[in-house]
Amino acid sequence: MNTHLNWPENETTQTALWVSESGTNPPKHMTLADDTLSAENAHRLASEGHALLWRGDFQNARHLLQALTRRLDKLKSKKTNKNKIIQSNLEVFHQHRMAQAQRAHILNAIVIVVEKNHHIDLRRAPDVVDACFEVLGEQTERYALPLRQLLAYVSAHEWRKNGVLIPALNSNIHPHYGVFSPIRGEYLELINSAPLPKPCDTAWDIGTGTGVISAVLARRGVKTIIATDTDPRALACARDNFERLGLTTQVQLHQADLFPQTNTKADLIVCNPPWLPAKAAAPIERAIFDEKSQMLKGFLLGVGAHLSAHGQAWLIMSDFAEHLGLRAPNEIPDMIERAGLRVLKKHDIRPQHGKVFDKTDPLHAARALETTSLWCLTLAAKTTLT
Ligand SMILES: C[S@@+](CC[C@H](N)C(=O)[O-])C[C@H]1O[C@@H](n2cnc3c(N)ncnc32)[C@H](O)[C@@H]1O
């Protein structure tokens, strides 16, 4: 159901559709804000629960958002220096998530109204038509959204236009807004180099996201691939990438919860589920957080029934959750065994992305220990699943 934001202005009640990617309700207390508002006052009003409906110059709203961000960063480093107590990685993780949520609440307080044709009626407003249309499609009425979210649409539009170079493909993948982006590509190197089962004519890619794993398998010569996802944004993004890469005859897309509904079996079934077993704070986080390891368990418990006689299941998983204390060290091998599968080989790689080396990152201690693995699995014994 659509929700609306209402506010008094020019002696009438104004209204706009409320668009929130984090699923929050429209703010109750609206204050009209313009170029005269200081970062200090904005911070105070936002902390008191007011949303700031921007009526000034668009670029000044961006500067205010930057100033608010700097303020929050300063306050955070003051707090960290004061409370230097020894905490477990798990405590640090929960505290970090809570701080992120509070920070988002403050930063999302600056609200922009966009007309239904995706134009912004403010001084020095940029052209956001393509960026907003890509995410929201046709709109039949004007809408309001946090400025931060609008800027995320704009940045996603640039990523989508330019793409991300995937060395394993020697081509670009074009991520869409809200779809898991393969910028940390180390796991793709594993998928590109691990020996394929013989023969490997058919493969399934469970939770395809941008479609990148299907694309790597197609380039490796797998003739028929089925890619699944539940998220319509991911399906649209994967379709776009398969078209750009000329793979639409080799890869079929199915909207499915885990496995496609087909009576055929696959020689290879690959899955890269979200790596952290925790509750997503917002729908947009569902590609990162897998509450109670639902996708992971569903994949392991179900995959055996879909494998051909010599088939393999490939699971991509990092041990970050273990270093954070969110998952017990033996949990994955135990799940594999309980699912009637056995490990043929485990290929490991150390992540090389910038965050691993960032000592200011609150999760650095756990991140520095992280290994990403490709678990190559097969049926333990034919009798196990009968
Ligand atoms: C971590 S992302 C991986 C995306 C892509 N395979 C990659 O490696 O870049 C997980 C993907 O699984 C999808 N997903 C989550 N639950 C699912 C389910 N039950 N069935 C199918 N896909 C699911 C999400 O929408 C997301 O696109």
Side-chain angles (χ1 to χ4, degrees):
M1 199 179 73
N2 293 335
T3 43
H4 284 80
L5 178 70
N6 301 309
W7 70 98
E9 192 176 4
N10 299 333
E11 289 163 25
T12 60
T13 300
Q14 306 279 337
T15 185
L17 182 72
W18 176 241
V19 176
S20 164
E21 294 290 340
S22 55
T24 54
N25 288 326
K28 285 204 181 86
H29 309 289
M30 298 298 298
T31 301
L32 297 185
D34 62 20
D35 308 341
T36 57
L37 184 68
S38 68
E40 190 183 344
N41 281 339
H43 188 190
R44 182 182 49 76
L45 285 164
S47 308
E48 289 167 4
H50 289 258
L52 309 165
L53 187 78
W54 194 254
R55 286 300 185 219
D57 175 286
F58 184 90
Q59 298 305 328
N60 286 345
R62 277 189 50 223
H63 295 151
L64 179 66
L65 183 62
Q66 285 162 357
L68 264 178
T69 309
R70 282 194 300 273
R71 250 182 105 76
L72 292 174
D73 287 345
K74 241 193 227 159
L75 284 173
K76 186 175 127 204
S77 70
K78 254 195 209 159
K79 235 190 204 163
T80 329
N81 289 338
K82 225 164 93 190
N83 304 337
K84 279 228 154 84
I85 45 168
I86 307 224
Q87 290 177 305
S88 69
N89 284 347
L90 188 60
E91 285 166 328
V92 174
F93 171 74
H94 288 306
Q95 211 172 61
H96 175 61
R97 284 201 85 198
M98 220 152 64
Q100 297 272 72
Q102 281 162 359
R103 182 187 171 85
H105 176 76
I106 302 282
L107 295 178
N108 284 338
I110 305 175
V111 170
I112 297 284
V113 173
V114 183
E115 300 307 316
K116 66 178 181 189
N117 57 5
H118 301 301
H119 277 283
I120 302 174
D121 194 11
L122 293 176
R123 269 191 329 276
R124 290 203 293 162
D127 179 348
V128 295
V129 175
D130 290 346
C132 290
F133 182 79
E134 278 170 4
V135 182
L136 303 173
E138 298 268 357
Q139 288 295 310
T140 52
E141 58 182 317
R142 68 176 173 169
Y143 56 94
L145 76 177
L147 169 63
R148 195 162 166 249
Q149 188 177 308
L150 175 74
L151 296 178
Y153 291 175
V154 172
S155 135
H157 171 66
E158 292 304 308
W159 281 96
R160 174 168 170 167
K161 204 167 57 185
N162 301 326
V164 181
L165 176 69
I166 305 294
L169 281 175
N170 200 20
S171 303
N172 282 10
I173 280 286
H174 297 258
H176 290 194
Y177 178 83
V179 179
F180 183 85
S181 173
I183 30 176
R184 276 186 59 169
E186 77 271 1
Y187 66 93
L188 297 171
E189 284 172 40
L190 296 179
I191 291 175
N192 199 30
S193 55
L196 292 169
K198 285 190 190 138
C200 189
D201 294 328
T202 51
W204 294 355
D205 169 15
I206 307 303
T208 193
T210 56
V212 65
I213 291 179
S214 293
V216 171
L217 295 175
R219 285 277 168 88
R220 289 194 68 181
V222 181
K223 290 192 204 97
T224 308
I225 298 167
I226 301 180
T228 71
D229 211 293
T230 42
D231 177 6
R233 279 177 174 164
L235 292 162
C237 176
R239 184 167 301 111
D240 179 19
N241 281 304
F242 298 150
E243 278 166 11
R244 287 173 191 263
L245 295 166
L247 297 175
T248 47
T249 46
Q250 215 169 333
V251 190
Q252 289 171 32
L253 261 175
H254 291 210
Q255 180 158 27
D257 183 358
L258 296 171
F259 307 102
Q261 296 221 320
T262 154
N263 293 327
T264 58
K265 301 222 168 191
D267 300 321
L268 176 65
I269 306 183
V270 186
C271 183
N272 175 21
W275 292 347
L276 296 178
K279 194 171 162 44
I284 191 125
E285 288 187 352
R286 283 195 201 128
I288 302 168
F289 295 103
D290 183 19
E291 192 176 1
K292 298 188 181 151
S293 300
Q294 264 173 6
M295 186 175 181
L296 171 63
K297 285 182 188 158
F299 173 72
L300 288 175
L301 290 171
V303 72
H306 302 287
L307 287 176
S308 61
H310 62 280
Q312 289 184 27
W314 286 6
L315 170 70
I316 297 285
M317 185 49 66
S318 122
D319 61 2
F320 187 38
E322 289 162 34
H323 297 302
L324 287 172
L326 287 169
R327 179 177 281 138
N330 263 339
E331 215 171 298
I332 293 199
D334 288 350
M335 278 186 209
I336 291 172
E337 201 185 320
R338 277 203 306 276
L341 301 168
R342 83 184 150 86
V343 182
L344 283 172
K345 175 101 188 139
K346 181 167 159 279
H347 303 270
D348 294 334
I349 195 164
R350 292 299 294 268
Q352 288 299 318
H353 60 94
K355 255 203 156 157
V356 176
F357 308 101
D358 176 6
K359 293 196 174 147
T360 65
D361 170 18
L363 306 182
H364 176 73
R367 234 186 264 283
L369 301 171
E370 185 181 6
T371 297
T372 304
S373 303
L374 166 57
W375 299 73
C376 300
L377 312 169
T378 191
L379 284 174
K382 289 233 162 90
T383 49
T384 324
L385 289 177
T386 57

